[in-house]
Amino acid sequence: MRRGSIVQLVLLALVIGGAVTAVALLIPWLPQSASEQRDRIDFVFWFTTGICIFVFTVVATLSVYALVKFRAPPGDDRDGPPTHGNTGLEIFWTAVPAVLVTAIAIVSGIVLSENGSAGSDPLQVQVVAQQFAWSFTYQNGAAKGVTSPVLYLPVDRTVKLQILSKDVLHSFWVPEFGQKQDAVPGAVNSLVITPNKTGTYPVVCTELCGLGHALMRSQSIVMQPGAFEKWAKGHAGGGTAGGANSGQSVFIAQGCSACHTLTAAGAKGTVGPDLDKLSQEAQKAGKPLDQFVRESIVNPNAYIEPGFPKGVMPQTFASLPKAQLDALVAYLVKSAKGAK
């Protein structure tokens, strides 16, 4: 090959490779990283992307060069000269992709193994999914026994999440943490996270789980260890963050705000009936307000408000601890009377 052709190929490769690299680097394709696991995943992503850019540049450069250099003039319908092939070139373009794919597999395997290791003393949190809310119960450490609708985590501390579902399939995802894990009824799936940046990040359900799926959101608040210890001590012994007997805390922790409107709790859900109108609904059902509210929680299909479908509200709330159920009923009754 002549020197002029080599120079042309090199210049064309620089233009194509530079353009593709600019597209890859200058556009913010991914959310910010906030965990060690996500940092490793991003390394695999960019390692693979770099290889793809290299392969694309080589193929695109040769293709464009061949189309321009060896194009047939208009009206030339002759067949090209017969070519036997090049054994050495065929071996080369088979061996190089094999090496690159093997490298991707090795790097991915190492990262997968490291991301699954929780170490000797992780903070353990039970994550419970249900239509349409998340709840987080701390299994050890200063916050042991505390249940919260928000996932509070100390920065630079490895956390092992034990994820389960009370009803249907859900999927736990915090984009900034870089990993997803399904919540499956009857099974417990683990996910290891080591947050390395303080901040507030969304907790999202990524498995279609019913009418309120789009509203099944929470937050993960990553804070300094001292602030986490202070938060944990402030709720230790109370069970539910905000107090086990706080009806509003139970209302929020059980995800009621995702589906219902209740002015007292700042809830604006529209999947289920407006709880500010509980008094009117109890009158329609012909039952005392207290009885109507309790029955609607433990047996939601006993009375269906006109305009709402049957079977949408989960029937798992009958298993709430008596103290929490009583607190929730009292809170809703008080709120309904105040909304008259």
Side-chain angles (χ1 to χ4, degrees):
M1 182 178 286
R2 291 178 299 177
R3 178 178 296 178
S5 298
I6 295 175
V7 171
Q8 291 174 350
L9 282 170
V10 171
L11 291 176
L12 185 57
L14 289 175
V15 171
I16 294 175
V20 176
T21 301
V23 170
L25 296 179
L26 298 181
I27 298 177
W29 298 102
L30 303 173
Q32 67 167 317
S33 173
S35 75
E36 292 182 5
Q37 290 74 19
R38 167 66 189 279
D39 290 342
R40 297 188 190 111
I41 292 171
D42 283 0
F43 173 79
V44 175
F45 175 84
W46 289 114
F47 179 74
T48 305
T49 300
I51 291 175
C52 292
I53 290 174
F54 169 74
V55 173
F56 176 83
T57 300
V58 172
V59 173
T61 298
L62 294 175
S63 298
V64 172
Y65 181 82
L67 286 171
V68 175
K69 187 73 174 178
F70 303 110
R71 72 184 185 278
D76 185 356
D77 296 329
R78 294 174 300 171
D79 291 335
T83 303
H84 174 270
N86 189 310
T87 303
L89 183 60
E90 292 171 2
I91 293 174
F92 176 78
W93 71 37
T94 301
V96 170
V99 170
L100 295 178
V101 171
T102 301
I104 293 173
I106 292 173
V107 171
S108 299
I110 293 172
V111 168
L112 187 63
S113 176
E114 290 183 349
N115 279 0
S117 176
S120 59
D121 185 30
L123 175 63
Q124 298 192 39
V125 183
Q126 183 186 69
V127 180
V128 178
Q130 66 183 68
Q131 294 173 312
F132 299 98
W134 300 99
S135 64
F136 308 95
T137 302
Y138 296 81
Q139 306 295 302
N140 63 348
K144 183 176 181 180
V146 175
T147 298
S148 170
V150 175
L151 179 59
Y152 292 90
L153 298 175
V155 71
D156 296 326
R157 171 82 185 273
T158 299
V159 182
K160 185 175 182 179
L161 304 179
Q162 298 169 331
I163 303 171
L164 55 94
S165 171
K166 282 187 175 182
D167 38 46
V168 300
L169 288 175
H170 301 276
S171 189
F172 176 90
W173 182 43
V174 177
E176 290 78 6
F177 293 164
Q179 300 181 95
K180 295 181 183 180
Q181 184 59 274
D182 286 347
V184 181
V188 178
N189 295 326
S190 298
L191 186 65
V192 177
I193 295 170
T194 308
N196 56 11
K197 288 182 181 176
T198 58
T200 300
Y201 309 107
V203 176
V204 183
C205 177
T206 59
E207 189 80 35
L208 184 60
C209 56
L211 288 177
H213 165 68
L215 303 174
M216 190 169 169
R217 302 290 183 103
S218 183
Q219 292 180 324
S220 177
I221 300 177
V222 180
M223 56 184 67
Q224 293 295 335
F228 176 78
E229 292 290 325
K230 183 178 180 181
W231 171 84
K233 291 178 180 178
H235 297 93
T240 302
N245 293 321
S246 168
Q248 183 174 1
S249 296
V250 177
F251 181 87
I252 295 172
Q254 295 300 320
C256 307
S257 57
C259 296
H260 296 283
T261 293
L262 184 64
T263 302
K268 299 179 180 180
T270 57
V271 175
D274 185 343
L275 300 185
D276 287 330
K277 300 177 181 179
L278 278 173
S279 295
Q280 297 93 308
E281 292 169 7
Q283 290 177 359
K284 291 179 185 177
K287 296 180 181 179
L289 181 57
D290 292 50
Q291 179 185 341
F292 175 75
V293 171
R294 185 176 298 274
E295 184 179 58
S296 296
I297 294 172
V298 301
N299 184 17
N301 293 322
Y303 172 81
I304 303 298
E305 177 70 8
F308 294 91
K310 185 177 181 179
V312 174
M313 181 171 169
Q315 300 188 48
T316 56
F317 298 109
S319 62
L320 278 175
K322 185 177 184 302
Q324 292 188 20
L325 180 60
D326 291 345
L328 180 58
V329 170
Y331 173 69
L332 292 175
V333 168
K334 180 180 179 181
S335 299
K337 290 179 178 179
K340 284 185 177 181

